């Protein structure tokens, strides 16, 4: 199926046909990447863990000094999904917030009026296949580091380049490797390895503290799996029994090949499968409550 643009977006506080959606050429998001975003997965019209995503958005907006407008986010998203006929399927919902339009110059305006865009698209079909059969990842010769990496800022050029490299090598994901040789995270995912039934993931410093990462860590701990947060080198990934990545959109995706090497026996491992199942159960439970 070829991907299509949505017919409507939610912009400046209202639903709007795509062809009428306009953002100023002096919007600071466009000029400087001065803004941030969140991506939430909606299951049959219901966004999962929206409050957690909004809390992360709010805290990053606060750090940047961008006043996040008060919106009935859940209602905005529900209307957008219905309008695009994405209410009875799974969809990816992106909330983008920029500091808004101002006279050009790096110094931000004292009273910014943020631009808020909400857009929804159908899920990438490759995700289902990757979840089921496992996928390939590659190591990148660069990273996205420092405290800014802990926020979902608009500047995703390392991710763009990473995805280009992944695609060229027919991989689902690409992992950042920093100058100290540590593998930090994927372009849009957090990473986990399983060594002798122990689950290890890099600590949430200098990486995006994923909503799914937290959910999976809690699920693993609650089901008796030993969990450690520890920095990982490429060799720790190559020697892992299992390797998987997590994100709101992709949930839990097994990685069975890294660069040219098989991970474990090259098949989806039992712990990954168990966590995929537990995550699905959690999704059902959360959605039943909402
Ligand atoms: C760099 C990066 N790391 C990790 C994640 C996973 O985060 P979450 O589980 O909150 O979707 C993302 C999601 O887009 C990301 O961009």
């Amino acid at each position: 199926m070829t991907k299509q643009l949505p017919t409507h977006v939610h912009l400046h506080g209202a639903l709007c046909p795509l062809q009428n959606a306009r953002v100023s050429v002096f919007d600071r998001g466009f000029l400087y990447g001065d803004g941030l975003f969140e991506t939430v997965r909606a299951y049959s019209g219901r966004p999962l863990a929206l409050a957690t995503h909004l809390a992360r958005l709010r805290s990053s907006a606060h750090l940047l000094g961008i006043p996040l407008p008060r919106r009935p986010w859940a209602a905005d998203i529900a209307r957008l999904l219905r309008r695009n006929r994405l209410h009875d399927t799974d969809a990816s919902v992106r909330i983008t917030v920029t500091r808004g339009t101002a006279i050009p110059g790096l110094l931000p305006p004292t009273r910014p009026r943020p631009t808020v865009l909400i857009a929804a698209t159908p899920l990438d079909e490759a995700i289902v296949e990757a979840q089921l059969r496992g996928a390939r990842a590659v190591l990148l010769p660069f990273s996205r580091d420092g405290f800014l990496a802990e926020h979902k800022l608009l500047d995703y050029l390392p991710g763009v380049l990473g995805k280009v490299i992944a695609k060229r090598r027919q991989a689902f994901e690409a992992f950042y490797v920093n100058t100290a040789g540590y593998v930090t995270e994927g372009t849009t995912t957090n990473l986990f390895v399983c060594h002798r039934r122990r689950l290890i993931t890099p600590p949430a410093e200098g990486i995006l503290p994923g909503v799914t990462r937290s959910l999976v860590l809690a699920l693993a701990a609650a089901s008796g799996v030993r969990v450690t947060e520890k920095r990982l080198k490429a060799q720790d990934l190559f020697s892992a029994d299992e390797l998987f990545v997590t994100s709101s959109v992709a949930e839990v995706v097994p990685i069975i090949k890294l660069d040219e090497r098989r991970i474990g026996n090259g098949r989806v491992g039992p712990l990954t499968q168990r966590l995929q199942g537990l995550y699905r159960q959690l999704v059902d439970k959360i959605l039943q409550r909402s």
Side-chain angles (χ1 to χ4, degrees), residues 56 144 152 156 185-190 208 210-212 247-248:
R56 184 168 68 185
R144 161 183 184 273
K152 256 175 112 76
Y156 253 53
E185 61 185 330
T187 59
T188 56
T189 58
N190 291 115
L208 190 81
V211 171
T212 325
S247 79
S248 303

Side-chain angles (χ1 to χ4, degrees), residues 192-201 215-229 242 244 270-276 278:
F192 290 76
V193 298
C194 172
H195 270 281
R196 296 199 198 94
R197 285 192 244 139
R198 194 160 61 111
L199 194 61
I200 311 169
T201 193
L215 292 174
V216 166
L217 279 174
L219 281 174
S223 72
V225 178
R226 278 191 303 150
V227 174
T228 313
E229 291 185 49
E242 300 178 37
F244 66 84
L271 182 61
T272 310
Q273 250 167 3
R274 190 162 134 213
L275 290 169
Q276 284 181 312
L278 288 172

Side-chain angles (χ1 to χ4, degrees), residues 74 99 149-150 177 181 195 217 252 254 258 276 280:
R99 204 184 297 268
E150 294 167 20
V177 183
H195 270 281
L217 279 174
V252 177
L258 180 62
Q276 284 181 312
R280 268 289 150 158

Side-chain angles (χ1 to χ4, degrees), residues 107-126:
L107 207 58
T110 43
R111 284 209 213 131
R113 294 188 49 215
T115 300
V116 179
L117 167 71
I118 316 175
T121 48
L123 273 202
D124 187 343
E125 283 170 358

